Amino acid sequence: MANYEPNQGVTQLKVLFRSNPVPVDATEVWDSLSEAQTYIKQANAYAGQTIKAKLEDGKYHTYTLQPSDGGYLLEEVGSSSEAKQYVIIGTRPGSGQEQGIIYIDNNVGYIWNGSDWVKIFEDVSADITDIKGRLSTVETDLTEKAPIANPAFTGSVTIEGSPAATQEWVNTLVGQINNGVPGIVDGSDNLLPSTDYKAGQMWRVAAEGTYAGATCEIGDLIICLKDYAVGSAGNADFMVVQANIDGAVTGADSSTDGHIVVFNGATGKVIKDSNVAISSLNDAIAKAHEHTNKTQLDSFTKTQEEILSEASTDAQSKISALKSELEEEIATKADTSSVYTTTDIDEKLNTINQNLNTKLDGTAVDNKIATAKEEILEEAATAAGTALEARVGDIPKESTIKSYIDTAIGSGGADVGSQIEQAKSEAIQQSKAYTDTALTITEF
């Protein structure tokens, strides 16, 4: 029996009789566990008191108030703190679950916080296996990655799809920018470098002179074509771009590929299409002797000089022979009263010259041969005149040959003029026949 003070005891005078369905002690039954827990904090609660509380499962559970340092604790009757089951394996209950109890449902741990289920753990073995596989892949990938400190990249490094700029590339670009700024050469203070030059460097000519082996004017641009190399460096490493080109030729607005161009007008600075194809010209040259006169042309075996020399010699011989015949006729017919004047003789000789010129100016002989023949005939005519003058003497210009003969020796009644004309006609016929034979040229 509990130790009560005498003034705390009550003497039972009569047996209590419950006339209504309510507990004799108003603090004995509570509608929820939370109400019971609130009660044990009140002053009229006492150690060892037995009370009942309705839980969420709809059942009343009996609890004993146990003393503690901070008041009282509820201990369910029929169980002890040591025997209480705090872990329940199976399907979570739909109701009546207790707070503080761990429910393991399908390898997942839950706890009831009074209003909701809270997951406190689950089976992660499959996730761990997957994570291990991924970690292995990551480790493999990491071995192929460059370290953060002093990385050494291989292959083509790109940033957002664009190649990454390396120091070497930037240095090259900066070098090209520097090379793109022209220097100055003036032949005195500023000279074209002979060593250590780089392809792409440029120099503007500030004073006329010879640079890189080329004659340059002010304003010309010198461009370096290749880097300096010991043993092969030279003027060929540079190119001169002229700023002022004298006598530049301009072409037509359009042209035909493979056609030969010719000057348009007399300025010497404009060209146009000749409508003559190089292929056609080459074909014509290749077939130059493929025509109807090929046999005749191929028969020529002498040079131009040889043909001219022989023609000159032969013509001179024929004219000399003609002159001799004329002189003999004049001498024979000196006593006739009708003779030719020097004018008549000159006209006849001109006829001979014209006949010779006609034959010597054939289309098979070029302009040089024609000119040479004219000179030969001219010399021949001069020689003929000189010989004739020496033969007949110095006849005054106002006298005819006939009057001169009549005065000098008399005509004797003979028709000297007719005889001379006949002799000259025969000589002309002989000369023409010879030239026809000796100087025949097939025309084509």
Side-chain angles (χ1 to χ4, degrees), residues 329-340 401-407 409-420:
E329 289 293 334
I330 292 172
T332 304
K333 307 297 183 178
D335 57 344
T336 62
S337 60
S338 179
V339 295
Y340 278 80
I401 294 178
K402 181 178 182 300
S403 63
Y404 177 78
I405 294 175
D406 290 343
T407 302
I409 58 175
S411 62
D415 189 358
V416 177
S418 298
Q419 293 178 3
I420 291 175

Side-chain angles (χ1 to χ4, degrees), residues 254-256 258-262 272-278 280-281:
S254 61
S255 61
T256 302
H259 277 202
I260 299 172
V261 296
V262 295
K272 64 179 181 179
D273 193 342
S274 68
N275 294 322
V276 177
I278 294 178
S280 299
L281 181 60

Side-chain angles (χ1 to χ4, degrees), residues 40-42 45-47 65-74:
I40 65 176
K41 295 178 182 179
Q42 296 180 7
Y46 58 92
L65 275 65
Q66 300 290 347
S68 68
D69 294 337
Y72 299 104
L73 294 177
L74 289 176

Side-chain angles (χ1 to χ4, degrees), residues 1 6 19-20 75 78 178 181 219 260 279 285 353-354 363 370 378 399 423:
M1 179 175 183
S19 60
N20 295 312
E75 183 178 284
N178 294 333
V181 179
I260 299 172
S279 58
I285 294 173
N353 290 337
Q354 291 175 2
T363 57
E378 210 177 288
S399 301

Side-chain angles (χ1 to χ4, degrees), residues 54-330:
K54 187 178 180 179
L55 300 185
E56 293 180 0
D57 59 2
K59 297 180 180 181
Y60 287 92
H61 293 253
T62 302
Y63 295 92
T64 301
L65 275 65
Q66 300 290 347
S68 68
D69 294 337
Y72 299 104
L73 294 177
L74 289 176
E75 183 178 284
E76 188 175 0
V77 177
S79 64
S80 65
S81 59
E82 295 179 357
K84 186 174 179 65
Q85 187 175 5
Y86 288 97
V87 177
I88 298 175
I89 300 175
T91 304
R92 285 176 292 168
S95 61
Q97 59 269 27
E98 295 184 52
Q99 289 181 273
I101 304 299
I102 298 175
Y103 295 88
I104 300 177
D105 185 354
N106 196 23
N107 295 329
V108 180
Y110 298 91
I111 192 170
W112 182 254
N113 63 4
S115 59
D116 295 305
W117 289 103
V118 178
K119 183 189 296 185
I120 58 176
F121 64 83
E122 63 180 325
D123 184 8
V124 294
S125 58
D127 294 336
I128 292 175
T129 302
D130 180 63
I131 292 172
K132 287 182 179 180
R134 295 187 181 188
L135 287 176
S136 177
T137 302
V138 171
E139 290 175 352
T140 302
D141 292 341
L142 287 176
T143 59
E144 299 176 355
K145 305 299 180 182
I148 297 177
N150 302 319
F153 297 103
T154 59
S156 178
V157 181
T158 59
I159 299 177
E160 295 183 353
S162 300
T166 64
Q167 181 179 1
E168 180 181 2
W169 181 83
V170 173
N171 291 338
T172 302
L173 183 61
V174 172
Q176 291 175 350
I177 294 175
N178 294 333
N179 293 343
V181 179
I184 298 296
V185 291
D186 54 19
S188 57
D189 297 333
N190 302 289
L191 302 177
L192 194 67
S194 59
T195 60
D196 299 330
Y197 46 78
K198 298 291 184 181
Q201 289 180 307
M202 296 180 291
W203 297 267
R204 183 69 68 181
V205 176
E208 295 182 353
T210 300
Y211 306 96
T215 301
C216 300
E217 300 177 349
I218 296 176
D220 289 352
L221 185 66
I222 304 174
I223 302 175
C224 181
L225 301 178
K226 58 181 295 187
D227 295 345
Y228 170 77
V230 178
S232 63
N235 293 334
D237 294 346
F238 302 89
M239 177 182 70
V240 176
V241 179
Q242 291 186 328
N244 180 23
I245 302 177
D246 296 331
V249 177
T250 60
D253 293 338
S254 61
S255 61
T256 302
D257 183 37
H259 277 202
I260 299 172
V261 296
V262 295
F263 280 110
N264 185 7
T267 63
K269 294 186 177 181
V270 183
I271 58 175
K272 64 179 181 179
D273 193 342
S274 68
N275 294 322
V276 177
I278 294 178
S279 58
S280 299
L281 181 60
N282 290 335
D283 184 66
I285 294 173
K287 299 178 179 179
H289 282 186
E290 294 182 8
H291 44 68
T292 56
N293 295 298
K294 181 178 185 301
T295 304
Q296 289 85 343
L297 290 176
D298 291 343
S299 66
F300 282 94
T301 59
K302 296 182 180 180
T303 64
Q304 174 179 310
E305 288 76 10
E306 292 173 340
I307 293 174
L308 290 175
S309 177
E310 292 182 1
S312 175
T313 301
D314 190 66
Q316 183 66 45
S317 174
K318 294 301 182 182
I319 292 174
S320 297
L322 177 59
K323 287 182 179 180
S324 298
E325 293 178 2
L326 289 175
E327 290 171 355
E328 290 178 0
E329 289 293 334
I330 292 172

